[in-house]
Amino acid sequence: MQPHDPYINAVCDALTEVDGLEPTDQTWTSDAETRGTYCYLDAVITLDPSGTRNLDDDEIPAGTPWRHGLILIWEWHTGLEDDIERGPVWQFAELKRDGSNEYPTSLPVHGYASPAAIVEAARKVIGHEIKPGHSHNFGRPGWAGGIIGDSWEHADELEAACAAWEKTGA
């Protein structure tokens, strides 16, 4: 079990309660990803808001959004990398036909966002209120709504679990 599993499970449960946002079986958590020589915790939640992810391209009507799905990405970094701050971030990206994804865009939520905040942000992404390539962190235009929602009620426990993992597993 990963230290962030209870949090990601709570987010998945909240998404499951919303019609069209139920995570697919391609959702996972890990502590094995690396950038250079530094480990970090991560999770990917795969959504299929158009219900077309498993169809062939010729079966998907023209103009269908999120043709191959949408991923929500959560990462917790140790801060040892030169260009990445310590702590959690949420991002999203559109999936491509081959299973790869577009370059991730920051979600305008707290790193330890409440599950309800993730649901609201996902709805805004699906509805194109928050667009790929726009980021509240990098000052690009596109989302002027500020941070969505609040932090998870168990954020302190999650931070402590991530910090303990950093000392023993990173």
Side-chain angles (χ1 to χ4, degrees):
M1 185 165 149
Q2 307 302 323
H4 54 304
D5 282 353
Y7 176 51
I8 299 305
N9 289 339
V11 170
C12 287
D13 288 347
L15 289 163
T16 298
E17 292 177 13
V18 178
D19 188 37
L21 290 184
E22 182 175 349
T24 73
D25 61 356
Q26 298 299 311
T27 296
W28 51 268
T29 63
S30 174
D31 68 351
E33 294 291 326
T34 62
R35 287 192 178 170
T37 59
Y38 302 109
C39 296
Y40 61 96
L41 299 169
D42 64 343
V44 172
I45 300 170
T46 304
L47 305 176
D48 185 14
S50 296
T52 57
R53 187 170 170 269
N54 293 321
L55 298 177
D56 290 332
D57 272 348
D58 59 350
E59 297 176 303
I60 302 172
T64 299
W66 312 107
R67 295 173 64 88
H68 303 289
L70 165 70
I71 57 174
L72 304 176
I73 306 160
W74 183 84
E75 295 179 348
W76 187 90
H77 293 268
T78 60
L80 299 174
E81 299 95 337
D82 291 334
D83 61 342
I84 300 175
E85 292 183 28
R86 182 180 188 280
V89 295
W90 275 100
Q91 301 173 311
F92 73 95
E94 185 169 2
L95 284 171
K96 296 180 183 180
R97 179 180 178 196
D98 64 3
S100 65
N101 57 270
E102 296 292 338
Y103 192 80
T105 300
S106 293
L107 271 177
V109 296
H110 297 280
Y112 298 119
S114 68
I118 298 302
V119 167
E120 184 179 345
R123 284 180 168 167
K124 290 181 183 308
V125 167
I126 291 165
H128 300 289
E129 293 177 61
I130 301 171
K131 297 178 170 94
H134 298 147
S135 170
H136 70 285
N137 289 336
F138 304 114
R140 296 182 191 147
W143 174 251
I147 299 295
I148 296 170
D150 53 7
S151 292
W152 190 40
E153 61 194 26
H154 303 290
D156 291 341
E157 295 164 37
L158 177 56
E159 171 61 29
C162 292
W165 169 84
E166 178 181 14
K167 290 179 183 172
T168 61

